[in-house]
Amino acid sequence: MNTQIKFTTPEEAVKVIKSGDHVHLSSVASAPQCLINAMCKRGEAGELKDVHVHHLHTEGPAPYADPKFEGVFQLDSFFVGSNVRKVTQSGYADYIPIFLSETQRLYRCGAVPCNVAMIQVCPPDKHGYVSLGTSVDATLAAVECADYVIAVVNKHVPRSFGQAMIPMSKIDLFVEDDTPLMEAHFSEPNEVETAIGKHCAALIEDGATLQMGIGAIPNAVLAQLGGHKNLGIHTEMFADGVLPLVEKGVINGEAKKTDPGKMVSTFLMGSQKVYDFIDDNPGVLMMDVGYTNDPYIISQNDRMTAINSALQVDLTGQVCADSLGTKFWSGVGGQIDFVYGASLSKGGKAIIAMPSITNKGVSKIAPVLTAGAGVVTTRNHIHWFVTENGAVDLYGKTLQERARLIISVAHPSAQEELDRAAFERFGEHHHYVKKYMSEN
């Protein structure tokens, strides 16, 4: 098949964007910066107004969110990353609260229009297929629904498999740019994170399928799994921490019920090593987020173990992972998709893990959540809760029992105050209070 491409310039390609359009950007490392810059130049020239921009977390600059583009570009993101958090807090951008699993459905059901999808792909193969590389998530749905698809063909985009592979016929305009993908590097776990990692690792059984995202705590957990056997990966994202376990044969997917022997993800963020790892690797399936984050599909894997972080937890088990205070938003992400899916799995474990205090010494376990805090995992969904001080199972426990268990893994400096708060909250006739009074 002839796969010769007729390229155009970024400036020419973005001329298909009209005032009032909705534009989707591919996520994380695959944000198409050359198209973003060309679109913003049109905005600066006064050629556009009221253009809505949508994306999940993106790495790199986000110039369309600059306050100077008020009335020109309106960012309505599905997840608020660090590069657009300040402008979102200040009101120059907004976000659409949505479970990660449903971001693709926003386009497919028409709740959010998609006029133009701007993506990055690898060079075409001999059959005329390109790959979405590190960003399938809601991008595949955007490609399916958009009036125009503009693709940056980039030799640095890995040729990943699964639902990442799309025919060139789905693309209307091609631009060439070989800028390397954005990389993300994570620091080594500190003492607290290592302790959390050990407590989480103790809950993971051989043959488990894992979801644990990216960051210090996931890396700390992965670092403790060298002695495990036959682990699998079904997650919304992964990073460098999985690579040593794949090399050792610890992660092999042999016990998985869905996609046995395969690692499944919907987007990636990490170093070049991760991008090289998925390139031409049939052992990794990059899938639509409607598949990776479907609780039913997640639950089909026995011993599904989901490890997610939190910003704050209250004495009843309400989990805030979205906001603290009235002017902070990030987004729900995939936490509840996997908490629910793991809870339904045979032998599954849903784990919320966090340090017990902030870097400033403030307890992250609170009598009640901070005003304005967004509840992501409700007290009805939480099972295992882990801090550096231990792991407690809250499933099936009363509010009073939960309070005692949660306080038991709080930072020692906060336990007395939390005890008093529980005493005041539950009232003098509650069993917790009677036990508290007898002990004090």
Side-chain angles (χ1 to χ4, degrees):
M1 180 176 180
N2 183 3
T3 57
Q4 186 172 355
I5 298 174
K6 182 179 180 181
F7 289 107
T8 188
T9 64
E11 292 73 21
E12 283 296 315
V14 300
K15 287 183 178 180
V16 300
I17 301 173
K18 306 183 302 295
S19 293
D21 274 356
H22 289 250
V23 177
H24 176 84
L25 306 180
S26 53
S27 305
V28 195
S30 288
Q33 293 295 334
C34 67
L35 297 178
I36 290 170
N37 292 332
M39 178 181 71
C40 289
K41 286 180 181 178
R42 287 196 64 199
E44 289 176 336
E47 298 176 13
L48 295 169
K49 64 179 181 178
D50 299 326
V51 173
H52 292 258
V53 179
H54 307 288
H55 55 67
L56 293 165
H57 170 76
T58 59
E59 289 289 292
Y64 46 83
D66 192 294
K68 72 179 182 180
F69 285 122
E70 185 176 13
V72 178
F73 301 115
Q74 170 62 39
L75 172 61
D76 298 323
S77 58
F78 303 148
F79 188 88
V80 184
S82 58
N83 59 345
V84 295
R85 189 162 292 147
K86 184 176 180 179
V87 293
T88 304
Q89 291 171 357
S90 63
Y92 289 103
D94 207 341
Y95 93 105
I96 299 172
I98 190 77
F99 294 127
L100 191 62
S101 60
E102 295 184 19
T103 54
Q104 47 78 32
R105 188 173 182 273
L106 290 174
Y107 292 136
R108 289 181 172 132
C109 77
V112 174
C114 187
N115 303 105
V116 181
M118 302 204 305
I119 65 177
Q120 286 207 81
V121 299
C122 74
D125 62 21
K126 64 181 180 181
H127 302 293
Y129 279 79
V130 294
S131 175
L132 295 170
T134 62
S135 176
V136 178
D137 43 73
T139 298
L140 179 61
V143 168
E144 294 170 355
C145 299
D147 300 322
Y148 294 97
V149 178
I150 309 173
V152 176
V153 179
N154 186 336
K155 68 181 183 181
H156 296 290
V157 172
R159 185 172 178 265
S160 62
F161 296 118
Q163 292 173 298
M165 299 295 291
I166 60 172
M168 290 170 59
S169 59
K170 295 285 187 182
I171 299 168
D172 299 292
L173 295 159
F174 294 89
V175 172
E176 189 172 27
D177 181 58
D178 288 334
T179 302
L181 299 186
M182 293 282 181
E183 296 184 59
H185 299 278
F186 304 98
S187 60
E188 290 295 314
N190 60 30
E191 184 178 346
V192 168
E193 292 156 351
T194 298
I196 293 171
K198 289 179 179 179
H199 292 310
C200 289
L203 298 174
I204 297 172
E205 301 176 46
D206 288 342
T209 296
L210 306 179
Q211 174 264 339
M212 58 178 59
I214 56 177
I217 289 178
N219 284 344
V221 176
L222 291 165
Q224 303 298 321
L225 298 178
H228 281 63
K229 298 177 181 178
N230 300 328
L231 299 180
I233 297 291
H234 183 110
T235 186
E236 74 268 49
M237 55 183 163
F238 66 81
D240 295 64
V242 304
L243 301 186
L245 296 177
V246 174
E247 293 169 0
K248 292 179 181 178
V250 172
I251 292 176
N252 56 31
E254 290 183 4
K256 292 181 67 182
K257 295 289 183 66
T258 64
D259 308 302
K262 309 286 187 181
M263 296 172 61
V264 174
S265 186
T266 195
F267 61 85
L268 300 175
M269 184 168 69
S271 73
Q272 186 62 44
K273 290 181 180 179
V274 175
Y275 308 149
D276 292 341
F277 172 71
I278 70 167
D279 185 46
D280 261 331
N281 185 349
V284 179
L285 301 180
M286 297 298 295
M287 304 294 283
D288 181 87
V289 71
Y291 180 85
T292 60
N293 285 53
D294 183 324
Y296 175 77
I297 293 173
I298 294 166
S299 71
Q300 299 309 295
N301 291 297
D302 294 345
R303 299 176 297 279
M304 182 72 208
T305 304
I307 302 174
N308 288 277
S309 60
L311 296 172
Q312 192 179 54
V313 173
D314 79 1
L315 291 178
T316 71
Q318 295 279 77
V319 178
C320 165
D322 176 27
S323 61
L324 275 175
T326 57
K327 282 198 170 185
F328 179 92
W329 298 278
S330 56
V332 172
Q335 181 173 128
I336 197 63
D337 297 330
F338 280 95
V339 164
Y340 194 51
S343 300
L344 295 175
S345 164
K346 182 180 178 181
K349 293 187 179 78
I351 301 170
I352 299 295
M354 71 175 194
S356 65
I357 58 172
T358 68
N359 292 334
K360 295 181 179 180
V362 178
S363 176
K364 297 180 72 171
I365 297 172
V368 295
L369 297 183
T370 301
V375 176
V376 173
T377 296
T378 73
R379 62 174 68 97
N380 309 304
H381 291 98
I382 192 170
H383 285 209
W384 284 93
F385 176 54
V386 177
T387 74
E388 72 275 18
N389 302 307
V392 291
D393 187 2
L394 305 180
Y395 188 62
K397 302 299 190 296
T398 67
L399 293 178
Q400 299 167 59
E401 291 169 334
R402 284 166 178 245
R404 292 191 63 81
L405 289 169
I406 291 170
I407 292 171
S408 75
V409 295
H411 193 271
S413 65
Q415 289 183 348
E416 184 176 346
E417 181 179 348
L418 291 170
D419 272 330
R420 283 197 298 267
F423 180 92
E424 294 171 358
R425 183 167 188 178
F426 293 127
E428 62 181 344
H429 297 297
H430 281 253
H431 299 301
Y432 173 87
V433 176
K434 291 179 180 178
K435 188 171 181 60
Y436 171 84
M437 292 173 69
S438 68
E439 292 175 351
N440 294 275

